[in-house]
Amino acid sequence: MRMPFRVHESVRAEFECRWARVRASMLLGFLGPPAVSLLVALVARWSGVVVLGWVVLALGVAVPVWFLVGRVYVRRPGWWAGLIAYTGAAQALGVGTLTRHVLLGLPTVLAAAVAAVLVTKAKAVLVDVAGGAVAGTTLGVRSSSRQVRNPTGHPVLAHADFDGEVLRWHVATGPSTPDVSGGELPLGAITDVRVADTPAAPGGEVVVVRTADARVELVVGHPHDFAALLDRRLSLLRDDDWS
């Protein structure tokens, strides 16, 4: 079975089963709301601001279609439900602007709500980290978030994620300050991954990532679990047994 992401032979059988279980739900989730929106827009009477309505609707439709067709969802599973919610709202707004009837956006809202549930369940199956099998794919893996405080004392959330090529880390923007830190490293440059205590803020255990000329401390939730997944993916990527 062909899958839209690379899989190591050691986990191929498992991910063929996972992909077979979620493929239909993902197609319905990403393409269902756009189909409903376009159908409503085409059969309804255009009594509103036609050009603006179609522009907003087109943007709302194009983004989830691009997200699916361009396989962006492979790298960014954490975006699935949020993207459907935001683009569904844009589609409903476009339909309402086009027709000047707010209630005609209701089918899109309902379709987006169902779609968000479908893709959330699909994500839980496809990117299940239990057992570490997901490390044998190029699917995006996001750490749990950890609350820290930015320089002004506001609590913000930190996390990291990686796909088949890049490790990224980020501390969320506070109410009145820019990002405390953030960046990315190519996976191929990483030489070591471990968990260590740090005396520096925010303190506690962090994931330490080393390259030939750099050392980065990642503030994440459940650092041992994240480090184990990252280390296993790095190890498997050095193997040639991928398809």
Side-chain angles (χ1 to χ4, degrees):
M1 176 186 294
R2 292 189 61 186
M3 288 174 278
F5 47 89
R6 296 176 63 211
V7 183
H8 190 266
E9 190 59 32
S10 62
V11 298
R12 168 163 282 280
E14 177 173 346
F15 273 87
E16 285 182 345
C17 293
R18 291 195 194 188
W19 181 242
R21 289 172 60 189
V22 306
R23 180 170 51 185
S25 294
M26 289 175 60
L27 287 172
L28 286 172
F30 289 115
L31 301 182
V36 170
S37 300
L38 290 174
L39 179 61
V40 172
L42 290 172
V43 301
R45 181 182 176 187
W46 302 348
S47 56
V49 185
V50 175
V51 174
L52 179 60
W54 273 112
V55 168
V56 175
L57 177 58
L59 288 173
V61 167
V63 171
V65 172
W66 161 77
F67 193 72
L68 182 69
V69 175
R71 299 183 181 180
V72 182
Y73 68 94
V74 171
R75 303 189 303 274
R76 298 290 192 177
W79 291 5
W80 292 6
L83 180 135
I84 286 174
Y86 285 119
T87 58
Q91 293 163 37
L93 178 61
V95 171
T97 303
L98 179 67
T99 62
R100 205 165 59 182
H101 289 286
V102 175
L103 290 180
L104 288 177
L106 186 58
T108 297
V109 173
L110 294 176
V114 172
V117 172
L118 287 175
V119 300
T120 298
K121 290 182 176 181
K123 176 191 168 187
V125 172
L126 191 63
V127 198
D128 183 3
V129 300
V134 71
T137 73
T138 54
L139 285 166
V141 175
R142 188 185 189 277
S143 75
S144 300
S145 295
R146 176 179 168 188
Q147 189 177 85
V148 295
R149 292 190 178 276
N150 65 13
T152 63
H154 293 289
V156 294
L157 294 177
H159 72 270
D161 62 82
F162 59 86
D163 51 33
E165 298 179 355
V166 178
L167 167 69
R168 305 174 185 86
W169 61 94
H170 175 68
V171 179
T173 301
S176 60
T177 61
D179 293 347
V180 176
S181 64
E184 62 180 44
L185 283 173
L187 295 187
I190 297 174
T191 58
D192 184 52
V193 178
R194 65 184 61 198
V195 177
D197 283 307
T198 177
E205 293 184 326
V206 295
V207 177
V208 179
V209 175
R210 293 182 183 274
T211 67
D213 54 5
R215 179 180 186 274
V216 178
E217 294 184 351
L218 306 179
V219 181
V220 299
H222 306 299
H224 287 276
D225 295 339
F226 185 75
L229 282 174
L230 176 58
D231 189 55
R232 186 179 180 196
R233 178 161 295 181
L234 292 172
S235 177
L236 290 174
L237 285 174
R238 299 185 189 105
D239 194 346
D240 295 328
D241 206 6
W242 288 77
S243 57

